[in-house]
Amino acid sequence: MEDTKMEDSSNQREMSHEEMPETHSKGGLITMPFIIANESFEKVASYGLVPNMILYLIKDYHMGVAKGTNILFFWQAATNFTPILGAFVADSYLGRFLTIGLGSICSLLGMILLWLTAMVPQSKPPPCDLMTQTCSSPTSAQMTLLFFSFVLISLGAGGVRPCSLAFGADQLDRRDNPKNVRVLESFFGWYYASAAISVLIALTGIVYIQDHFGYRVGFGVPAILMLLSALVFFLASPFYLKQQASKSLLTGFVQVIIVAYKNRNLTFPLPNSTASYHHKRDSNVVAPTDKLRFLNKACIIKNPEQDIALDGSAANPWSLCTVEQVEELKALIKVLPLWSTGIIMSINLSQNSFPVLQASSMDRDLTKKFQIPAGSYGMFNIISLALWVIFYDRAILPMASKIKGKPVRIGVKLRMGIGLFLTCIAMVVSAIVENARRKEAIRSGFQNNPTAVVKMSAMWLVPQFCLNGFAEAFTAIGQTEFFYSELPKSMSSIAAALFGLGLAVANVLASVVVSIIDDITSKGGKESWVSSNINKGRIDNYYWVLAILSFINLFYYFLCAWAYGPTGRQATKVKSMAGR
C-alpha cells in the first residue's frame, strides 16, 4: 500500500520495494489494500447498524426502552468479547486467514438476516393499530431470527477484528530487514487511521441513509459493504503469506500451570543443564528464562525414557511441557500489568452520554442554517486521531530524521505514557468546561430547566474530544505495537485482541464507576452528581474524579513500565552493546 512506504533517513525519499529484502515469495505491500479494505468495510457495515438500532427495536418490534437497551447492551458486550475467542481460534486451530474468512462470511450472513427483517413483513410484528392504540408483541420465531442475526454479526466481528491487524503485520514483518521496526510502526498507524475513518463514515453516512431512506435501504447498504469486504479479502488469497496455526494456546497455558504445580517439589537443574528441559525439536530456545522461574518446573524432564516419546514429543503433555509453552505464558503474564494501564483511558473514551447532554444544552449553531447534532461531537475524537497519525507519519518523523541525519522514532513505551498523560489533561479540560457551562446555566436561571440552551458555544467541548483522540492515537497504537512485538509470533492474534479486551472491560467498569458515584452522592436526599438534570448535578466533579483516577493510573503506568524493563528490541540492543 502506498501509505506504508517509509521515508529514507538521508533524503526522505520513499522506500521502494527493493529496500525490503525479498525473503518470502508472498506477502508484502501488495496485500495491504485488500486486508485494510476487508476490515474497513466490516467496520463501516457493523458500526453503522448500532446508533439507530434502539429506534428500530422500539418502532418495528414494539419494545420498551429498557428491554431494547438491555438487548443492545448484551449485543455490544458479545461483540467486544468475541475477538478474544477469535484470537485463540486463529492462533490455535484455524490460522488467521481462515478465521478472517469465516468471520467475514458470518458477518455477511448476519447482516443479510437483519436486512430480511426489514424486507419481509412476516419477520416482525405487524404495525400498531392506530385506532385501538394496540401493538402486537414479536413472536418467538421473530425474536429468534433477530437474535440470530445479532449473534452472527458478533461472531463475524470476533473473527475479523483480532486477526486483521496481525494478519497484515505478518505480510510486512521481516525481522532481517533493518527498517522492519519503522515499517510495522507505520502500518499500525495507518491501520488505526483507516479504522477511525471507517467508524466516522459509519456514524455519519450509514446513519444518514437510515434516517432518510428507511431501514430497508439502511440495512441493505451494510450487507452490500460486507459482501464487498468478503470478496475483496478472498480475491487476494494467492498473494497472502499464511501462517500455520499451532496447537491450542489456551490448553497449553493450562497445562503449564498444572504441570508446574505438580512438579513444585522438584529441584531446578544446574544452570547449564539445558538437556534437562524439554523443548521442540530444532528449537532455538533450549532453556527457559529466569523470570517467573517457578513456571520452569513445568518443562523439567524427570525421566527421559518415560517422559519423552520416540518422536521427541512429550509422552504426556499434562506431565511435561515444552520450554516454548512456558515462555508463551510468561510473555502473556508479563504484559498484563501494562495492558491494565490502558483501561482507565478507555473509561474516559467511553464517556459519551454526558457530552451529548452538555452539547444539547449549549449553542450548536455554526451558521444560521446549520447546527451540529449533539451526538456528532464525538467525531472530533476520530478526526483528531486520524489527522495525528497522518501528521506524525508523514511530517514529524521525516522532519526529525532529516534534522538528526538518522532514522528517528518515539519508543513504544514513551508513546503509551504520552497518551495516558493526554487523557489526564482531557479530563481536567472536561471538568473546567462543564463547570463554566453549569455556572452560565445557573446565572441564566436555568437550574431547573436542563433542556434550556445557554449562551455558550458547544465548540468548547471540542478540545476535550481532540485530546482524547490524541491520547488514543498514542496509547492504542502504542499498546498494539507493544503487544505484537513482545508476544511470540504464535500469539499475534491475541496481541491484536488485547486492546479490544481492555475496551470491553472498560465498558463494564465505566458503568460501575457511575453507579458508585450515583449511590454515594445521592445519599440523604441530595442531588446526584450524575443527575439527569445536569444543571443541578455536578458532572464537573464526576470529571474531576476521572481526572484523579487518570493521574493515579499514570503513576501506576510508570511503575509497570519500570518493572517491565527494556522491551524486546531495547533488550537486544543492550545485550549487543554489552557484548562489544
Side-chain angles (χ1 to χ4, degrees), residues 17 46-47 74 122 146 164 187 223 240 264 266 301 331 353 385 394 428 448 464 497 538 548 563:
H17 289 279
S46 58
Y47 277 84
F74 287 116
Q122 292 78 11
L146 179 68
S164 183
F187 167 67
Y240 295 139
R264 63 189 182 279
L266 287 180
I301 301 174
S353 300
L385 185 154
R394 311 304 291 184
V428 171
N448 296 317
Q464 67 197 53
R538 295 302 303 265
I548 293 171

Side-chain angles (χ1 to χ4, degrees), residues 45 94 154 204 239 340 376 467 512 514 526:
L94 300 181
S154 294
T204 54
F239 303 108
S340 67
S376 295
L467 284 169
V512 172
V514 171
K526 296 180 180 179

Side-chain angles (χ1 to χ4, degrees), residues 114-349:
L114 185 61
W115 174 66
L116 288 177
T117 64
M119 292 295 295
V120 180
Q122 292 78 11
S123 64
K124 58 188 177 184
C128 296
D129 190 329
L130 298 178
M131 297 295 295
T132 61
Q133 295 293 315
T134 57
C135 301
S136 301
S137 299
T139 64
S140 298
Q142 291 168 343
M143 291 301 297
T144 300
L145 179 64
L146 179 68
F147 288 159
F148 193 46
S149 69
F150 288 166
V151 169
L152 287 174
I153 293 172
S154 294
L155 289 176
V160 174
R161 295 179 189 177
C163 301
S164 183
L165 180 61
F167 190 62
D170 287 343
Q171 313 306 311
L172 296 176
D173 195 4
R174 303 289 188 268
R175 301 297 169 98
D176 55 349
N177 177 20
K179 296 185 178 181
N180 186 59
V181 173
R182 181 72 180 93
V183 171
L184 287 177
E185 180 182 341
S186 183
F187 167 67
F188 287 132
W190 284 107
Y191 179 90
Y192 269 95
S194 65
I197 293 171
S198 300
V199 175
L200 183 63
I201 294 173
L203 299 181
T204 54
I206 302 299
V207 172
Y208 178 87
I209 291 172
Q210 292 171 356
D211 287 345
H212 290 79
F213 299 98
Y215 293 108
R216 291 189 174 189
V217 178
F219 289 166
V221 171
I224 293 173
L225 290 176
M226 200 60 233
L227 175 62
L228 292 175
S229 174
L231 290 177
V232 165
F233 180 74
F234 285 113
L235 184 65
S237 177
F239 303 108
Y240 295 139
L241 179 65
K242 302 169 185 175
Q243 301 282 356
Q244 295 296 320
S246 58
K247 63 180 182 180
S248 173
L249 287 171
L250 182 59
T251 303
F253 292 156
V254 175
Q255 288 173 342
V256 170
I257 294 172
I258 291 177
V259 177
Y261 178 78
K262 289 166 63 176
N263 294 347
R264 63 189 182 279
N265 294 324
L266 287 180
T267 56
F268 287 105
L270 295 175
N272 296 324
S273 302
T274 56
S276 300
Y277 295 104
H278 178 51
H279 53 80
K280 294 179 181 178
R281 185 177 296 179
D282 300 326
S283 172
N284 294 325
V285 183
V286 294
T289 58
D290 289 332
K291 290 187 177 181
L292 299 173
R293 195 164 178 252
F294 66 95
L295 293 175
N296 294 353
K297 293 186 178 182
C299 57
I300 296 177
I301 301 174
K302 299 185 291 293
N303 187 331
E305 295 182 357
Q306 295 181 359
D307 295 343
I308 307 298
L310 295 178
D311 60 354
S313 63
N316 183 1
W318 293 95
S319 296
L320 179 64
C321 301
T322 63
V323 174
E324 289 78 9
Q325 285 178 273
V326 172
E327 293 304 310
E328 286 171 347
L329 179 58
K330 285 183 181 181
L332 181 61
I333 294 173
K334 190 178 178 184
V335 302
L336 285 180
L338 280 171
W339 165 80
S340 67
T341 62
I343 293 177
I344 291 294
M345 186 198 74
S346 298
I347 290 177
N348 296 343
L349 293 174

Side-chain angles (χ1 to χ4, degrees), residues 365-371:
D365 291 332
L366 285 185
T367 65
K368 292 182 178 179
K369 296 183 178 180
F370 181 75
Q371 185 182 77

